[in-house]
Amino acid sequence: MEFYDSEKGVDQYIKIAEGYDGKELIKILQDFLPEKSSVFELGMGPGKDLDILRKKYLVTGSDSSQIFLDRYEKQNPDADLLKLDAVTLQTDRKFDCVYSNKVLHHITGQELKKSFQRQNEILNSNGIAFHSFWRGDKDENIEGMLFTKYQIDGLKKIIGNSFDILKINHYTEMEKDDSIYVILRKSSS
Ligand SMILES: C[S@@+](CC[C@H](N)C(=O)[O-])C[C@H]1O[C@@H](n2cnc3c(N)ncnc32)[C@H](O)[C@@H]1O
């Protein structure tokens, strides 16, 4: 992901994302996840959502970009951070929740399937996954970055039956209903 691996790309992202955060999504998550649960954020970027999440939960942040991790750690030397890829999720740790906000569109549908399998493995029993996606029918490539877009039915197919879908809905990020969030529970079977 070269764009996020350069200081210039990171600065550009921070500018574009000004005024946006996951506050409303995290309010929805709170209906499903008790306070003090452990939350593992994938693709934390500048860490705006991690800052909101850490008010209620025991958080671990992660990203594939060392630049984002270094910047956050400089401001928050006590932060628990991991550098890892959202597909392979190479960690032995387990969490009550895996969370991402507008990250998993940077991987293909096949990779998303693999990511869900790994998320299942690193979740405690009854664990929750919460993710947001861009909604649409046509993938895009912007500045060398993949933007995989989904409709609810397509996402459901990728999720398969290793998770129970607790909630899946459209929501508005920049334009009406341009996004989808999904809340999943690791299925007990
Ligand atoms: C659009 S930003 C979102 C950042 C943050 N979630 C937010 O809402 O501001 C995408 C983030 O995902 C990270 N990312 C992209 N592909 C990734 C991957 N395969 N594994 C882990 N992180 C990835 C990027 O480095 C970047 O920080």
Side-chain angles (χ1 to χ4, degrees), residues 145-156:
M145 282 184 292
L146 175 64
F147 281 70
T148 310
K149 300 198 178 174
Y150 296 96
Q151 297 290 352
I152 285 178
D153 283 349
L155 260 182
K156 281 183 175 172

Side-chain angles (χ1 to χ4, degrees), residues 136-177:
D137 299 304
K138 217 170 146 255
D139 298 348
E140 284 187 71
N141 198 303
I142 302 170
E143 305 249 13
M145 282 184 292
L146 175 64
F147 281 70
T148 310
K149 300 198 178 174
Y150 296 96
Q151 297 290 352
I152 285 178
D153 283 349
L155 260 182
K156 281 183 175 172
K157 277 192 194 133
I158 290 178
I159 293 161
N161 52 15
S162 51
F163 285 100
D164 297 327
I165 299 178
L166 302 181
K167 212 166 179 183
I168 185 163
N169 270 327
H170 300 153
Y171 74 98
T172 300
E173 181 98 61
M174 292 177 169
E175 289 172 23
K176 189 166 171 29
D177 290 343

Side-chain angles (χ1 to χ4, degrees), residues 35-81:
E35 280 191 30
K36 307 279 182 231
S37 300
S38 56
V39 177
F40 180 40
E41 182 175 6
L42 310 180
M44 60 182 273
K48 285 196 273 189
D49 287 14
L50 200 68
D51 285 340
I52 301 169
L53 288 164
R54 75 193 301 188
K55 291 184 183 145
K56 303 269 177 197
Y57 300 114
L58 307 170
V59 294
T60 302
S62 77
D63 208 286
S64 55
S65 160
Q66 190 64 49
I67 298 174
F68 275 126
L69 296 173
D70 288 347
R71 288 192 186 193
Y72 192 82
E73 195 172 31
K74 211 168 172 189
Q75 300 299 321
N76 305 275
D78 60 333
D80 180 22
L81 304 179

Side-chain angles (χ1 to χ4, degrees), residues 5-113:
D5 289 327
S6 74
E7 298 282 350
K8 191 168 157 239
V10 163
D11 286 337
Q12 206 173 316
Y13 172 73
I14 290 170
K15 222 170 181 179
I16 294 166
E18 217 170 288
Y20 295 96
D21 63 35
K23 198 165 43 225
E24 295 306 315
L25 296 177
I26 292 166
K27 271 189 202 159
I28 300 168
L29 172 67
Q30 281 175 240
D31 290 340
F32 296 85
L33 191 69
E35 280 191 30
K36 307 279 182 231
S37 300
S38 56
V39 177
F40 180 40
E41 182 175 6
L42 310 180
M44 60 182 273
K48 285 196 273 189
D49 287 14
L50 200 68
D51 285 340
I52 301 169
L53 288 164
R54 75 193 301 188
K55 291 184 183 145
K56 303 269 177 197
Y57 300 114
L58 307 170
V59 294
T60 302
S62 77
D63 208 286
S64 55
S65 160
Q66 190 64 49
I67 298 174
F68 275 126
L69 296 173
D70 288 347
R71 288 192 186 193
Y72 192 82
E73 195 172 31
K74 211 168 172 189
Q75 300 299 321
N76 305 275
D78 60 333
D80 180 22
L81 304 179
L82 299 175
K83 180 177 193 296
L84 49 73
D85 179 71
V87 181
T88 51
L89 293 175
Q90 286 181 322
T91 175
D92 293 333
R93 294 177 58 185
K94 291 207 167 203
F95 304 91
D96 300 322
C97 173
V98 177
Y99 171 95
S100 80
N101 185 7
K102 296 289 168 59
V103 173
L104 299 177
H105 58 278
H106 289 313
I107 60 178
T108 64
Q110 269 308 319
E111 289 170 330
L112 180 59
K113 227 176 197 172

